[in-house]
Amino acid sequence: MVISDQDSIRLFRSSAPYINAHRGKTFVLMFGGEAIEHANFANIIHDIGLLSSLGIRLVLVHGARPQIDQRVVLRGISGRFENDTRITDKPTLECVKDAAGSVRSHIEALLTMGLPNSPMHGAQIRVCSGNLVVAKPIGVRDGIDFENTGHVRRIDVEGINDHLNDGSIVLLSPMGYSPTGEVFNLSHEDVATQAAIALSADKLIVFSHWPGVVDRQGKLLRTIELEQLRNLIESDEIETEGSVLRALSTSVANDIPRAHCISYEKDGALLEELFTRDGTGSLVLRNHYEQLRRASIEDVGGILRLIKPLEESGVLVKRSRERLENEIEHFNVIERDGMIIGCAALYTYPENQSAELACVATHRDYRGKNRGERLLSEVIDYARSQQIKRLFVLTTVTAHWFLEQGFVPASLDSLPSEKQALYNFQRNSKVFELTI
């Protein structure tokens, strides 16, 4: 597919709100040794460099399991595992040091590369690493001594923030150091989640072999609440690897606002996830008190209370209880502690492969927290499942919000004929559309 200059301009303009939103925020990126060996890894590094140039504070945490395995085999050492955790004796620890040092040097070299034909030409990115992770031994469990395998004891938050404040990217390896001078082999999942929690990071972004959190039926779960993720993990209903799922759930459970899972095999996945409305992978949120779901007949009263002020001010067309009861299957709602605080409806026109987005409303006390965007994303996912190619909306006073979401002005003639026949010329609503 050839992208024209105008397409590039539109893409750049549409990414501006995300650039502004992410600037100055702290993101922790976690990727295993498998990602490092993949052919797309150089592209990931270039995209990381781009994020840094946009003012995002970055902490990279890498794994090295396949690289360690290679060295263990080459040295004729018998690798030992217990519950998928490596038992790190002294000879194995030397393999860990060798592998982690080699991977770290490889990543630093890629981040330093500034050839004229490379995406990071002139970027002048600084990378800092060191003894920023304090570790402790796992010890003896069920009679098994894990020797130099450890857990994160403490993250040097002040040291990392000093580097981030200087504009550097911080690179953390799956190794930690004790006050007694010992070195411990750590899981990169443990390092990434503990770093994100200690730094109060705005995001944890995890790279996976899978395109995101994928269930046993092969469906990519775009947005998942923490409780839903935990239930799926417990029931073994997810294909995505366990280390990724643990990192996502642990970080969100410890107040990281958003945790993302994306593919390390897809070129541009990182940029698409961060700078487009739909993203490309999975987003995990905590949402203690809120649930986004399909509406039921029991929600009619709550929706009427929600939309009444907007109807009285002329923002929304008035709906009777009878009409709402008859059309309730078209609605999605956000419920918070038993109260409906957001809603949106979708009316499809299958013969035109189009649908009308209508009655988008958020309670005045709960605006400004991306609830409208969440409703829109849910509606778009459902519309796509129905082979809908285009959304349209008629509005009198909220045109700016729809423009911010990527809608563009359209003519009355672009509406399905049935909708044109019902158009209220007295309201003189503006028409906007979005290709999905």
Side-chain angles (χ1 to χ4, degrees):
M1 182 178 67
V2 178
I3 298 178
S4 69
D5 290 342
Q6 285 301 312
D7 289 334
S8 298
I9 291 169
R10 279 194 292 271
L11 286 170
F12 189 66
R13 285 172 174 165
S14 65
S15 68
Y18 301 99
I19 294 172
N20 293 327
H22 297 329
R23 185 180 294 115
K25 299 297 177 62
T26 301
F27 295 174
V28 175
L29 276 59
M30 166 184 148
F31 42 85
E34 297 82 4
I36 296 163
E37 293 191 339
H38 195 272
N40 188 50
F41 187 65
N43 294 325
I44 294 173
I45 290 294
H46 293 152
D47 291 344
I48 288 171
L50 177 57
L51 297 187
S52 178
S53 69
L54 293 173
I56 299 172
R57 296 153 55 92
L58 297 172
V59 178
L60 314 183
V61 181
H62 72 83
R65 174 172 280 199
Q67 291 83 1
I68 295 170
D69 289 339
Q70 292 165 8
R71 286 159 174 79
V72 166
V73 171
L74 285 172
R75 298 185 186 189
I77 300 169
S78 176
R80 293 183 295 151
F81 291 84
E82 185 67 27
N83 294 326
D84 202 36
T85 300
R86 190 187 301 274
I87 298 171
T88 311
D89 55 20
K90 297 303 179 184
T92 304
L93 182 61
E94 294 306 310
C95 297
V96 172
K97 292 178 182 178
D98 184 12
S102 176
V103 168
R104 185 182 70 243
S105 297
H106 176 58
I107 295 171
E108 289 174 346
L110 288 173
L111 283 167
T112 306
M113 185 174 67
L115 297 174
N117 62 343
S118 75
M120 292 178 358
H121 176 55
Q124 296 182 332
I125 292 171
R126 287 178 294 174
V127 188
C128 295
S129 56
N131 58 339
L132 298 168
V133 179
V134 179
K136 60 182 179 182
I138 288 180
V140 178
R141 290 187 176 180
D142 298 325
I144 297 172
D145 186 357
F146 283 83
E147 301 190 41
N148 280 82
T149 302
H151 285 315
V152 174
R153 180 178 180 180
R154 180 173 57 83
I155 300 292
D156 184 358
V157 174
E158 184 178 355
I160 291 175
N161 277 325
D162 283 345
H163 292 311
L164 294 175
N165 292 337
D166 287 339
S168 300
I169 293 176
V170 174
L171 178 60
L172 301 180
S173 296
M175 293 196 306
Y177 308 89
S178 73
T180 57
E182 293 177 283
V183 181
F184 291 98
N185 176 26
L186 310 176
S187 76
H188 72 295
E189 163 207 334
D190 187 26
V191 176
T193 52
Q194 294 307 313
I197 294 165
L199 292 165
S200 298
D202 298 282
K203 291 181 185 291
L204 173 70
I205 302 172
V206 183
F207 289 85
S208 168
H209 159 70
W210 297 92
V213 178
V214 177
D215 67 15
R216 294 295 186 191
Q217 287 70 49
K219 180 184 177 183
L220 173 64
L221 306 177
R222 290 284 191 172
T223 304
I224 319 167
E225 295 185 359
L226 177 60
E227 195 59 35
Q228 178 191 4
L229 179 63
R230 284 173 166 169
N231 291 337
L232 289 169
I233 294 172
E234 192 173 318
S235 59
D236 194 28
E237 289 296 320
I238 299 183
E239 293 280 6
T240 308
E241 56 265 44
S243 61
V244 167
L245 300 177
R246 288 191 298 270
L248 295 170
S249 59
T250 300
S251 58
V252 175
N254 285 275
D255 297 326
I256 302 305
R258 294 179 172 228
H260 301 254
C261 179
I262 59 176
S263 170
Y264 60 72
E265 298 183 357
K266 181 180 179 181
D267 186 16
L270 179 59
L271 301 182
E272 188 176 346
E273 181 72 5
L274 293 175
F275 297 105
T276 65
R277 183 184 62 253
D278 298 328
T280 183
S282 299
L283 169 63
V284 180
L285 303 160
R286 184 155 191 165
N287 288 332
H288 299 273
Y289 312 112
E290 294 184 12
Q291 181 184 11
L292 173 57
R293 57 175 174 78
R294 299 288 292 177
S296 67
I297 196 68
E298 289 80 13
D299 298 316
V300 169
I303 295 174
L304 286 171
R305 285 189 292 273
L306 171 67
I307 65 178
K308 183 179 179 181
L310 297 172
E311 291 175 343
E312 292 174 346
S313 64
V315 174
L316 294 178
V317 175
K318 187 172 179 58
R319 283 172 169 79
S320 67
R321 175 179 286 272
E322 182 181 7
R323 178 185 172 187
L324 191 55
E325 288 175 350
N326 290 331
E327 298 180 352
I328 194 64
E329 72 274 8
H330 296 286
F331 278 77
N332 283 289
V333 295
I334 298 178
E335 180 185 6
R336 181 184 177 94
D337 289 342
M339 182 173 75
I340 302 300
I341 64 167
C343 70
L346 184 74
Y347 301 90
T348 60
Y349 297 82
E351 65 279 6
N352 299 101
Q353 292 188 304
S354 63
E356 179 186 8
L357 175 64
C359 200
V360 181
T362 306
H363 193 285
R364 63 184 179 185
D365 294 339
Y366 297 97
R367 291 173 188 159
K369 296 292 184 180
N370 295 321
R371 293 182 177 90
E373 287 82 352
R374 287 181 60 206
L375 282 163
L376 176 60
S377 178
E378 185 73 13
V379 166
I380 288 174
D381 284 346
Y382 176 75
R384 284 176 174 154
S385 73
Q386 302 299 306
Q387 281 70 55
I388 298 300
K389 304 297 184 184
R390 182 179 70 105
L391 290 185
F392 65 86
V393 64
L394 280 70
T395 182
T396 55
V397 298
T398 56
H400 67 284
W401 187 83
F402 289 104
L403 289 170
E404 289 169 1
Q405 308 313 312
F407 284 77
V408 296
S411 67
L412 181 60
D413 294 338
S414 67
L415 299 179
S417 56
E418 308 97 293
K419 188 63 185 179
Q420 289 184 43
L422 297 173
Y423 182 80
N424 186 337
F425 286 92
Q426 193 170 8
R427 277 183 63 83
N428 194 29
S429 299
K430 294 182 178 180
V431 181
F432 295 89
E433 65 179 12
L434 175 70
T435 301
I436 60 173

